[in-house]
């Protein structure tokens, strides 16, 4: 999975130039808020990439466990085939039956582990999606702040601040999903 990219360097230059041109409080507030937006965007992007990587790693581990599960199943079938043979040695049949029972028990444990890894992968993907969405909110908020500063229109900046707040909410839900379980129910 690709990390969300945060191309904000160009906007930062424009904002920095605009603040130096007109040293008023509003320009400074826009510049400072935009710096916070960029910081949150960078952290969110980094965390989204980490979640994406964890999801991929857990999915690979789960796939490995399922392969191991299938190998145990094949071994159990071979043990069953040995039982089917009319062997004159009773000890061999008992040993094969015991081996088959152990292989089936092993399979259940492997299945449980593989399922847990799949669930963890899904959790990581959900976290990645939330954090990537936060990055998007932050990027749009940064862009709107730059446009507001360049056009000197405060309402555009206010919309950017609202999107920044929405990004923070997505960021928090991505980091603390258990704390916002009620939000996922909506």
């Amino acid at each position: 999975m690709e990390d969300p990219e945060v191309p904000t360097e160009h906007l930062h230059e424009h904002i920095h130039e605009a603040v130096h041109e007109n040293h008023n409080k509003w320009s400074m507030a826009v510049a400072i808020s935009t710096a916070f937006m960029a910081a949150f965007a960078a952290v969110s992007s980094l965390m989204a990439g980490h979640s994406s990587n964890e999801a991929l790693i857990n999915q690979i581990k789960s796939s490995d466990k399922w392969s191991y599960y299938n190998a145990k199943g094949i071994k159990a079938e071979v043990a069953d085939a040995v039982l089917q043979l009319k062997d004159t040695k009773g000890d061999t049949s008992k040993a094969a039956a015991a081996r088959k029972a152990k292989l089936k028990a092993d399979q259940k444990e492997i299945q449980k582990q593989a399922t847990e890894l799949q669930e963890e992968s899904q959790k990581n993907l959900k976290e990645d999606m939330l954090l990537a969405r936060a990055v998007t909110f932050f990027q749009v908020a940064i862009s709107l702040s730059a446009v507001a500063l360049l056009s000197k229109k405060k309402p555009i900046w206010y919309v950017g601040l609202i999107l920044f707040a929405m990004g923070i909410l997505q960021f928090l839900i991505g980091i603390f999903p258990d704390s916002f379980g009620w939000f996922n129910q909506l």
Side-chain angles (χ1 to χ4, degrees):
M1 306 238 166
E2 271 187 45
D3 292 343
E5 197 172 310
V6 186
T8 58
E9 295 84 18
H10 186 66
L11 293 174
H12 285 291
E13 291 173 18
H14 283 296
I15 291 170
H16 192 68
E17 289 171 12
V19 168
H20 284 314
E21 287 175 12
N22 25 325
H23 292 288
N24 62 32
K25 288 182 182 181
W26 179 71
S27 296
M28 189 58 75
V30 173
I32 291 170
S33 67
T34 303
F36 278 110
M37 292 173 194
F40 271 97
V43 170
S44 295
S45 179
L46 181 66
M47 293 178 75
H50 176 72
S51 294
S52 177
N53 290 340
E54 287 297 313
L56 185 60
I57 289 167
N58 284 330
Q59 189 58 44
I60 290 168
K61 287 179 180 178
S62 174
S63 180
D64 288 347
K65 288 288 183 186
W66 283 117
S67 295
Y68 189 46
Y69 171 87
N70 287 330
K72 289 283 187 176
I74 291 169
K75 287 180 181 180
E77 291 301 319
V78 169
D80 193 37
V82 169
L83 281 174
Q84 298 296 324
L85 292 174
K86 301 291 184 194
D87 202 331
T88 56
K89 298 178 182 176
D91 294 339
T92 306
S93 295
K94 288 178 186 176
R99 179 161 168 72
K100 181 180 177 184
K102 179 171 178 357
L103 290 168
K104 288 295 184 184
D106 289 348
Q107 261 191 308
K108 287 181 182 177
E109 179 59 29
I110 294 166
Q111 181 180 21
K112 178 183 169 201
Q113 292 171 355
T115 302
E116 287 172 359
L117 286 166
Q118 281 181 320
E119 290 169 359
E120 186 68 25
S121 177
Q122 289 300 316
K123 179 182 166 216
N124 291 133
L125 283 174
K126 186 174 185 178
E127 182 179 308
D128 171 57
M129 188 254 327
L130 290 166
L131 292 169
R133 190 180 299 152
V135 171
T136 303
F137 279 120
F138 296 143
Q139 287 177 330
V140 174
I142 291 167
S143 298
L144 288 175
S145 294
V147 169
L149 189 61
L150 294 172
S151 66
K152 296 180 174 84
K153 296 189 179 185
K154 288 183 182 181
I156 296 173
W157 179 55
Y158 296 140
V159 172
L161 289 176
I162 291 169
L163 291 175
F164 179 51
M166 292 170 63
I168 289 175
L169 179 63
Q170 289 293 306
F171 178 77
L172 292 173
I173 293 170
I175 293 177
F176 306 111
D178 297 333
S179 299
F180 290 92
W182 58 269
F183 188 79
N184 295 330
Q185 306 293 325
L186 299 177

